[in-house]
């Protein structure tokens, strides 16, 4: 039986929460998630609004495209990459409508800049 998209989304959020807690950040979740903010994350001085974008990226061979149209209210977009067992943290202000995250070296670029997953493993506080 396949998981519903709601369950996949919640699992992604929990993976992000665990990753951030392991990095010793404070993580807060809203009571109601209807404003496009899944988490509030604090390092003690700064608070960032985070939108988690979960999907079944195990089916992709070299990259995954993330739709970011509904991330305008967030500071950071967190993308759990199941295939690499990591979380990518992308500053929202660096993305317009979507971002293609590459996780395998390919010769095909399709004229689009490559965004390597390894460049987004640290949480962006600046």
């Amino acid at each position: 039986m396949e998981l519903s998209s709601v369950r996949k989304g919640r699992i992604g959020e929990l993976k992000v929460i665990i990753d951030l807690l392991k990095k010793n950040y404070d993580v807060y979740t809203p009571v109601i998630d209807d404003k496009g903010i899944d988490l509030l994350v604090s390092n003690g001085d700064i608070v960032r609004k985070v939108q988690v974008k979960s999907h079944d990226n195990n089916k992709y061979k070299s990259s995954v495209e993330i739709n970011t149209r509904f991330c305008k209210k967030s500071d950071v977009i967190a993308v759990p990459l199941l295939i690499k067992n990591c979380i990518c943290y992308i500053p929202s202000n660096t993305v317009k409508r979507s971002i293609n995250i590459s996780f395998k070296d390919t010769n095909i670029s399709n004229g689009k800049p490559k965004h390597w997953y390894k460049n987004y493993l640290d949480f962006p506080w600046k």
Side-chain angles (χ1 to χ4, degrees), residues 24-69:
N24 206 27
Y25 299 137
D26 297 321
V27 181
Y28 306 92
T29 58
V31 173
I32 298 173
D33 176 15
D34 65 350
K35 301 292 184 200
I37 303 300
D38 293 318
L39 308 170
L40 295 176
V41 180
S42 173
N43 66 359
D45 297 321
I46 303 167
V47 176
R48 294 280 187 249
K49 298 176 282 190
V50 177
Q51 175 67 40
V52 178
K53 300 300 277 185
S54 300
H55 50 82
D56 185 15
N57 53 46
N58 278 332
K59 65 183 180 182
Y60 301 99
K61 294 188 179 355
S62 62
S63 67
V64 63
E65 186 166 2
I66 307 299
N67 182 336
T68 59
R69 288 182 301 177

Side-chain angles (χ1 to χ4, degrees), residues 1-16:
M1 183 172 152
E2 188 172 331
L3 295 175
S4 71
S5 61
V6 172
R7 285 181 186 255
K8 287 179 187 177
R10 187 63 179 145
I11 290 168
E13 288 173 11
L14 292 170
K15 286 179 183 278
V16 172

Side-chain angles (χ1 to χ4, degrees), residues 25 46 48 75-77 88-92 120-126:
Y25 299 137
I46 303 167
R48 294 280 187 249
D75 301 309
V76 177
I77 303 163
C88 290
Y89 297 101
I90 304 157
S92 298
Y120 298 103
L121 297 178
D122 295 324
F123 194 86
W125 291 107
K126 296 179 183 179

